[in-house]
């Protein structure tokens, strides 16, 4: 029985944990999360200021005029924009803006985020996001400009 428990423990430790993580990348503040092929990366450059969110999915996003995020499970909120762009391979969707107050509130006050563009929808767990969102929001690196 012990070898089985040891093998299960080793497998659990070897598997990457799906967790939100605040940090820095040079002059940028970052907030990242990976889950089941979905990669979410927010950046904040305090210089201009400039905020970005990039959601990389395991399959290409479709071309569509409106991107939305529905935050559910607490302080529910849906936001949308027509100012998104897709990477050349269509896997990454990026939104850039001068403020992300609603995005940060949605990430920290809910249990799931549903990213939608056209008929594509990807869902991310927000479990454990709140303290990392707070650290990201408080990040004050040296501006790039």
């Amino acid at each position: 029985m012990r070898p089985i428990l040891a093998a299960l423990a080793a497998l659990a430790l070897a598997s990457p944990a799906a967790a939100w993580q605040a940090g820095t990348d040079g002059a940028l503040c970052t907030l990242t999360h990976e889950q089941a092929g979905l990669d979410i990366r927010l950046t904040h450059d305090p210089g201009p200021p400039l905020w970005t969110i990039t959601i990389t999915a395991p399959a290409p996003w479709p071309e569509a005029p409106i991107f939305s995020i529905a935050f559910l499970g607490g302080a529910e909120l849906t936001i949308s924009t027509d100012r998104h762009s897709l990477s050349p391979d269509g896997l990454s969707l990026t939104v850039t803006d001068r403020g992300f107050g609603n995005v940060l509130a949605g990430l920290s006050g809910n249990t799931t985020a549903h990213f939608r563009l056209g008929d594509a929808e990807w869902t991310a767990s927000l479990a454990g996001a709140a303290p990392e969102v707070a650290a990201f929001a408080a990040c004050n690196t040296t501006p790039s400009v």
Side-chain angles (χ1 to χ4, degrees):
M1 188 72 141
R2 285 188 187 191
I4 292 172
L5 291 176
L8 289 175
L11 181 61
L13 292 174
S15 300
W20 288 87
Q21 184 66 51
T24 59
D25 183 1
L28 296 177
C29 301
T30 61
L31 179 64
T32 58
H33 178 70
E34 291 182 36
Q35 170 188 321
L38 194 64
D39 182 19
I40 303 163
R41 178 178 168 89
L42 286 85
T43 63
H44 174 228
D45 182 342
L50 188 64
W51 301 79
T52 67
I53 184 171
T54 300
I55 303 101
T56 302
W61 292 95
E63 291 285 340
I66 304 294
F67 169 68
S68 67
I69 308 171
F71 298 103
L72 302 174
E76 296 185 358
L77 168 70
T78 299
I79 57 177
S80 62
T81 184
D82 62 356
R83 296 183 296 159
H84 60 279
S85 62
L86 297 177
S87 63
D89 64 4
L91 294 174
S92 296
L93 179 149
T94 300
V95 177
T96 303
D97 204 343
R98 294 182 54 88
F100 263 26
N102 285 340
V103 173
L104 299 180
L107 291 171
S108 64
N110 291 284
T111 59
T112 60
H114 301 272
F115 304 100
R116 294 184 188 119
L117 181 65
D119 60 358
E121 180 174 329
W122 301 100
T123 299
S125 169
L126 301 177
E132 297 300 314
V133 171
F136 173 69
C139 177
N140 189 17
T141 67
T142 304
S144 65
V145 291

